Amino acid sequence: MPIVNRFHDLAEEITAWRRDIHQNPEILYEVTRTAAFVAEQLRAFGVDSVETGVGRTGVVGVIKGRGTSRHVIGLRADMDALPMTENTGAPWASKVPGKMHACGHDGHTAMLLGAAKYLADTRNFDGTVVVIFQPAEEGGAGAKAMIDDGLITRYGIERVFGMHNLPGMPVGTFGIRPGAMMASADRLRISVEGVGGHAARPHLSRDPIVAASAIVMAAQTIVSRNADPLEAAVLSVTMFNAGSADNIIPQKAELRGTVRTLKPEMRDIMETRLAEVVAQVGAAYGVRAELEYRRDYPVTVNDEVEAHHAADIAARVVGEQNVTRNIVPTMGGEDFSFMLNTVPGAFIFAGVGENVANLHNEAYDFNDELIPVGCSYWATLVETTLPRAA
Ligand code: NI
């Protein structure tokens, strides 16, 4: 089963939705216009039920197939944009300064809507499909909010599937792997308080800048000295804020950054060692140093069986030679991980073109050529996972 023919016919309409969403980007949980559009379309398709306001602004549609199967699968798309200014020059470029769809969630939403339209129309499956449109993937844990709101239990979802576009891979290719596919993403904030004073008389102060600098350097040894060299870990300090003048040693300094790992054990090591380094280095410099470590997104772990299943589906759509079944994991984070921690499932990368700008770049624009491929993946996944009796 290659590209589902219906999607060649629907591509123009789905592209128009995608560009409309693109022009009107909304961030985090503020995706009210997008959610209203999604709900309105789902109702127009004649799906069996539509619920809004799940996890604050998420939308859930239910499509029942023909037959008696009680099996339920969930398909998930994210709706939110990013707080950055677009620089694509596209006719459908963002109309909102400081907000843009730089991660292709506009495309994800449009493709899942397209699949929902096809599935509601054809119902060539036996069981129930729950289409999930979530807010706040970018740093707001919208997937967790929907789960906390009862998404999985209320709809009886047994398996869940997600897809993300990936620049650098041609359209018509997919990449996936069993096990860890994307990293855990945690935030760190380190406050260092010393004693401020005149820069000419350092002996009368406790310099938080020197102490914080030592903490940054010592923290770099956690990856090189405490982490197993065969396991992945990243610790990046990305903000260093302190001071107000050339001749003042400040009272405080603040560091912020991110920690990424591919295994829960590594995540524990990073958190434990960082707390020790912060406290002990701070003590060595005579300042008070405190770590606030916030666990944000867990590791995105594909179920073994479901990852093979998803790869088989992708191979049906684009051919086995176009599916990488053991793609290298990325250290990016993804809140679909919360869903995969709740029920088995799989997250897959869909190539969006080799000449498409990187995700989160101001020049990025979702490539609409992916629409028939992505929609076909969803439709084929449903018709294969929930087959009608022969
Ligand atoms: Ni994304």
Side-chain angles (χ1 to χ4, degrees), residues 76 78 80 82 102-105 108 137-138 164-165 333-334 347 359-360:
R76 170 277 204 170
D78 35 17
D80 58 319
L82 284 155
C103 204
H105 298 183
H108 301 165
E137 193 287 318
E138 300 285 359
H164 206 295
N165 77 95
E334 166 61 58
F347 193 65
L359 298 174
H360 295 209

Side-chain angles (χ1 to χ4, degrees), residues 207-220:
D207 189 343
I209 292 187
V210 173
S213 302
I215 289 171
V216 172
M217 296 309 290
Q220 296 308 307

Side-chain angles (χ1 to χ4, degrees), residues 21-335:
I21 297 168
H22 189 90
Q23 268 193 315
N24 298 281
E26 298 170 302
I27 62 168
L28 291 166
Y29 287 94
E30 299 155 13
V31 291
T32 49
R33 182 192 183 274
T34 312
F37 175 76
V38 166
E40 178 194 312
Q41 289 298 329
L42 290 174
R43 289 190 189 105
F45 304 157
V47 306
D48 297 273
S49 74
V50 179
E51 186 182 356
T52 57
V54 183
R56 287 159 71 179
T57 41
V59 181
V60 180
V62 175
I63 309 167
K64 293 194 165 75
R66 305 167 205 261
T68 54
S69 165
R70 290 170 168 272
H71 285 301
V72 183
I73 65 170
L75 313 180
R76 170 277 204 170
D78 35 17
M79 299 187 285
D80 58 319
L82 284 155
M84 56 188 283
T85 297
E86 177 162 354
N87 186 17
T88 62
W92 51 86
S94 169
K95 291 194 290 194
V96 187
K99 292 180 189 171
M100 85 172 275
H101 271 288
C103 204
H105 298 183
D106 50 340
H108 301 165
T109 297
M111 290 192 295
L112 188 55
L113 267 184
K117 177 166 183 163
Y118 166 89
L119 292 167
D121 218 26
T122 54
R123 311 223 182 208
N124 190 24
F125 59 95
D126 186 4
T128 300
V129 178
V130 179
V131 286
I132 304 160
F133 297 86
Q134 74 153 83
E137 193 287 318
E138 300 285 359
K144 183 170 186 299
M146 291 187 83
I147 295 166
D148 291 347
D149 208 355
L151 169 72
I152 303 292
T153 46
R154 200 136 36 87
Y155 290 94
I157 297 168
E158 300 163 317
R159 302 154 82 180
V160 72
F161 298 89
M163 177 180 4
H164 206 295
N165 77 95
L166 194 63
M169 270 168 49
V171 170
T173 65
F174 285 91
I176 192 168
R177 63 179 288 119
M181 173 125 144
M182 296 183 73
S184 59
D186 297 338
R187 291 182 212 212
L188 62 95
R189 183 189 289 213
I190 299 164
S191 4
V192 180
E193 177 151 19
V195 178
H198 200 296
R201 291 187 284 279
H203 59 295
L204 300 179
S205 42
R206 299 274 186 173
D207 189 343
I209 292 187
V210 173
S213 302
I215 289 171
V216 172
M217 296 309 290
Q220 296 308 307
T221 65
I222 300 173
V223 173
S224 71
R225 300 294 86 181
N226 303 127
D228 182 337
L230 297 179
E231 302 291 352
V234 175
L235 189 161
S236 291
V237 175
T238 54
M239 295 169 73
F240 190 140
N241 296 320
S244 58
D246 294 359
N247 59 355
I248 302 170
I249 292 170
Q251 182 80 13
K252 293 178 182 172
E254 187 188 68
L255 305 170
R256 292 211 208 175
T258 184
V259 172
R260 311 287 173 118
T261 66
L262 290 175
K263 277 193 180 162
E265 306 89 281
M266 292 297 292
R267 196 183 195 188
D268 292 342
I269 289 172
M270 296 299 289
E271 181 175 358
T272 308
R273 279 299 293 147
L274 187 59
E276 290 167 359
V277 164
V278 168
Q280 303 299 332
V281 174
Y285 284 80
V287 300
R288 201 164 52 101
E290 272 172 20
L291 169 68
E292 195 187 308
Y293 191 97
R294 199 173 102 194
R295 292 190 170 218
D296 269 3
Y297 293 178
V299 181
T300 301
V301 182
N302 279 335
D303 179 87
E304 297 269 337
V305 172
E306 302 302 342
H308 287 299
H309 178 61
D312 290 344
I313 301 300
R316 280 185 176 224
V317 176
V318 296
E320 187 65 50
Q321 72 280 10
N322 292 313
V323 179
T324 306
R325 288 175 177 265
N326 204 11
I327 197 169
V328 176
T330 89
M331 298 309 279
E334 166 61 58
D335 85 344

